[in-house]
């Protein structure tokens, strides 16, 4: 009946729309080639390459990308959040020497560090050995003597190691899959113990939209570290939390000054001072209050999908 | 006619024990992952250890329970087999996390660590859960309801409990009240059921025997 009435009206709009979407889908489908698709212990690993040579790593077909790189160009950081992690460098008096990355992804950040800071000692804790293999084979990740990957759960690695770090980057959460034992007060206390004096933590936390977990993590970081500095990676849902072993008050001006000095020292291929100045999200009395997460009580799966009510 | 009420009540108590122990067993397994994660992470090895240790304990429990049912066929035994895990779960927050940490400190490797911890923490309580199934089958079997019928009923009720225990714990309870409170809640439920079974045995059973004689 409906189709008949369209024909009578002479409208071919639905048909055109259908045709357009099929063409669009076909064009899109052709634009990506799958390099590897494999089931590991923890993920459904997929690496695709688009017409421009960008390779993307994802852990589930329907979800976002973990990492994106252009082969032979480790100096490019595709994701805004990856560039925003460098705001954490502005909290340190000099370029971090000993760095730990919890969660490898495609390894684009460690490779970038290696390219621009050749002196850096980099440890990486990655739970999934297949992710490490795929990153090496398909995404240009190359560990070396001063860049080592440990096949371990992040928390287990931090408790077993006797090393300490200038910077610990926590990047082990998917946008939806959040291992609760890497979110709690007890976990952050372990992290804090593994920081050198003056050391800092940078954590990649998903946006607060429909996500009470974001506020619970603010509360939990505050409980362990005191001040939390938050930077929103513009153009993405990622926020970077920065906390310090010593709970110093930092002005944005002083951080911007340090970011300018870093630009002169290191020739980063993007401009760091604006990332610090324009992306900071101040914590105010308006920021919703939330409960501190503990090993006993960390309902991360529930919080992740809950909207924060307007008033705390 | 006089014995009808106590027999119906006895069946209800047995079914309730079977239902709750079936639920508590699976809930305990889910909670086990929350107990082990702070020390051993959320690796595949943790889940593999947990599931195999629970199955091994159930296996042993079924076998022990079957043999016990030939020696003593009473609600008192069912009550004791419910009381033991009740006590172990109620006191779990006092020793569980400490034991897990102790085993973590031995640094036995990514596989052996969670396996040994699972054995130490979850093996013993789960054996008791296993004994309940054959004991209940034996208690419920009668000339009118044969072993097949009572086994079918017990498995169906126990598995219904397991489904509710699994979903309830993972979907709601851990998120609402946290790990320790869940363990204590399960312990308290089991304790209430064991008191009901033992109480029934002490109060109603002699009466029933009088009527039969």
């Amino acid at each position: 009946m409906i189709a008949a009435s369209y024909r009578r009206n002479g409208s071919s709009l639905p048909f055109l729309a259908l045709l357009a979407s099929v063409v669009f889908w076909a064009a899109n489908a052709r634009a990506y080639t799958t390099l590897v698709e494999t089931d590991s212990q923890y993920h459904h690993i997929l690496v695709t390459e688009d017409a421009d040579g960008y390779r993307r790593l994802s852990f589930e077909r329907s979800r976002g990308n973990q990492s994106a790189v252009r082969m032979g160009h480790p100096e490019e950081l595709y994701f805004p959040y990856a560039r925003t992690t460098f705001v954490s460098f502005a909290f340190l008096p000099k370029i971090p020497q000993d760095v730990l990355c919890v969660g490898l992804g495609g390894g684009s950040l460690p490779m970038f560090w290696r390219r621009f800071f050749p002196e850096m000692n980099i440890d990486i804790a990655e739970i999934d050995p297949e992710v490490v293999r795929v990153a090496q084979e398909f995404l240009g990740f190359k560990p070396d003597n001063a860049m080592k990957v440990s096949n371990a759960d992040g928390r287990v690695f931090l408790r077993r190691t006797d090393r300490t770090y200038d910077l610990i980057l926590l990047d082990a959460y998917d946008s939806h899959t959040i291992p609760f034992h890497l979110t709690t007060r007890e976990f952050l206390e372990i992290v804090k113990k593994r920081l050198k004096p003056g050391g800092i933590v940078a954590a990649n936390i998903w946006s607060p939209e429909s996500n009470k977990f974001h506020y619970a993590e603010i509360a939990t970081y505050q409980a362990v570290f005191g001040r939390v500095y938050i930077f929103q990676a513009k153009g993405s849902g990622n926020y970077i939390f920065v906390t310090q072993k010593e709970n110093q008050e930092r002005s944005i001006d002083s951080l911007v000054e340090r970011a300018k000095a870093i630009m002169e020292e290191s020739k980063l291929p993007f401009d760091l001072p604006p990332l610090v100045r324009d992306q900071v999200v101040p914590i105010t009395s308006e920021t919703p209050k939330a409960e501190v997460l503990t090993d006993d009580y960390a309902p991360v799966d529930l919080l992740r999908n809950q909207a924060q009510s307007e008033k705390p | 006619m006089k014995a009808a009420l106590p027999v119906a009540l006895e069946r209800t108590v047995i079914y309730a024990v079977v239902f709750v122990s079936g639920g508590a067993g699976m809930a305990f397994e889910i909670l086990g992952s929350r107990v082990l994660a702070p020390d051993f992470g959320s690796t595949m090895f943790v889940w593999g250890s947990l599931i195999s240790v629970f199955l091994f304990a159930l296996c042993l429990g079924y076998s022990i329970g079957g043999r016990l049912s030939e020696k003593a066929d009473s609600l008192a035994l069912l009550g004791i087999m419910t009381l033991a895990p009740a006590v172990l779960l109620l006191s779990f927050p006092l020793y569980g996390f400490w034991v897990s940490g102790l085993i973590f400190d031995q640094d036995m490797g990514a596989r052996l660590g969670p396996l040994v911890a699972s054995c130490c923490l979850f093996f013993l309580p789960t054996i008791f859960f296993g004994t309940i199934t054959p004991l209940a089958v034996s208690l419920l079997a009668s000339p009118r309801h044969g072993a097949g019928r009572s086994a079918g009923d017990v498995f169906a009720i126990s598995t219904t409990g397991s489904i509710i225990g699994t979903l309830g714990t993972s979907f709601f309870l851990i998120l609402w009240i946290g790990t320790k409170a869940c363990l204590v809640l399960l312990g308290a439920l089991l304790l209430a059921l064991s008191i009901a079974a033992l109480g029934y045995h002490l109060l109603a059973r002699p009466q029933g025997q009088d009527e039969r004689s």
Side-chain angles (χ1 to χ4, degrees), chain A residues 202-234:
Chain A
N204 176 19
I205 308 281
W206 200 246
S207 101
E209 195 181 326
S210 295
N211 182 16
K212 270 191 190 169
F213 173 69
H214 184 96
Y215 297 109
E217 279 302 88
I218 292 178
T220 309
Y221 276 84
Q222 282 174 333
V224 174
F225 291 98
R227 291 182 182 81
V228 182
Y229 295 86
I230 300 177
F231 300 86
Q232 179 186 6
K234 290 273 153 60

Side-chain angles (χ1 to χ4, degrees), chain A residues 88 92 96 98-102 158 161-170 187-203 221 224-225 227 242-247:
Chain A
S88 65
L92 294 164
D98 295 303
V99 178
L100 170 67
C101 187
V102 177
L158 280 157
T161 187
D162 49 12
R163 300 191 61 177
T164 53
Y165 299 94
D166 299 305
L167 166 65
I168 296 178
L169 178 72
L170 300 176
F187 170 67
L188 292 180
E189 273 156 9
I190 295 166
V191 171
K192 194 177 181 182
K193 272 194 205 134
R194 305 269 43 106
L195 288 175
K196 287 183 198 297
I200 57 162
V201 177
Y221 276 84
V224 174
F225 291 98
R227 291 182 182 81
V242 182
T243 54
Q244 317 162 85
K245 186 172 179 95
E246 285 83 20
N247 184 19

Side-chain angles (χ1 to χ4, degrees), chain A residues 62-275:
Chain A
S62 54
R63 297 248 181 95
N65 296 308
Q66 299 295 322
S67 192
V69 295
R70 193 151 67 97
M71 295 304 280
H73 295 274
E75 76 283 2
E76 288 184 14
L77 279 179
Y78 185 79
F79 286 133
Y81 100 85
R83 295 191 287 275
T84 300
T85 59
F86 286 88
V87 299
S88 65
F89 282 38
F91 287 75
L92 294 164
K94 51 186 177 44
I95 299 295
Q97 175 64 38
D98 295 303
V99 178
L100 170 67
C101 187
V102 177
L104 174 69
S108 56
L109 257 178
M111 286 311 286
F112 184 93
W113 290 338
R114 175 50 77 238
R115 164 85 170 68
F116 287 92
F117 312 105
E119 305 294 309
M120 201 183 258
N121 290 317
I122 303 163
D123 281 344
I124 299 155
E126 168 57 50
I127 195 170
D128 191 341
E130 188 67 5
V131 167
V132 180
R133 192 189 71 78
V134 166
Q136 282 183 255
E137 192 170 329
F138 296 98
L139 298 162
F141 173 62
K142 282 191 201 73
D144 56 43
N145 282 335
M147 181 157 78
K148 295 203 170 87
V149 187
S150 299
N151 171 217
D153 180 275
R155 183 161 172 164
V156 174
F157 178 88
L158 280 157
R159 284 182 65 186
R160 293 273 185 233
T161 187
D162 49 12
R163 300 191 61 177
T164 53
Y165 299 94
D166 299 305
L167 166 65
I168 296 178
L169 178 72
L170 300 176
D171 193 10
Y173 313 150
D174 199 337
S175 65
H176 280 77
T177 319
I178 301 167
F180 87 95
H181 66 295
L182 303 183
T183 68
T184 62
R185 188 177 62 205
E186 290 89 338
F187 170 67
L188 292 180
E189 273 156 9
I190 295 166
V191 171
K192 194 177 181 182
K193 272 194 205 134
R194 305 269 43 106
L195 288 175
K196 287 183 198 297
I200 57 162
V201 177
N204 176 19
I205 308 281
W206 200 246
S207 101
E209 195 181 326
S210 295
N211 182 16
K212 270 191 190 169
F213 173 69
H214 184 96
Y215 297 109
E217 279 302 88
I218 292 178
T220 309
Y221 276 84
Q222 282 174 333
V224 174
F225 291 98
R227 291 182 182 81
V228 182
Y229 295 86
I230 300 177
F231 300 86
Q232 179 186 6
K234 290 273 153 60
S236 81
N238 300 88
Y239 286 62
I240 305 298
F241 286 22
V242 182
T243 54
Q244 317 162 85
K245 186 172 179 95
E246 285 83 20
N247 184 19
Q248 276 188 69
E249 181 160 12
R250 313 296 285 261
S251 72
I252 294 305
D253 288 342
S254 71
L255 295 173
V256 170
E257 283 310 306
R258 177 65 197 134
K260 285 177 183 163
I262 291 171
M263 292 310 295
E264 281 163 25
E265 284 170 44
S266 68
K267 306 193 171 51
L268 282 177
F270 53 85
D271 205 14
L272 188 55
L275 297 188

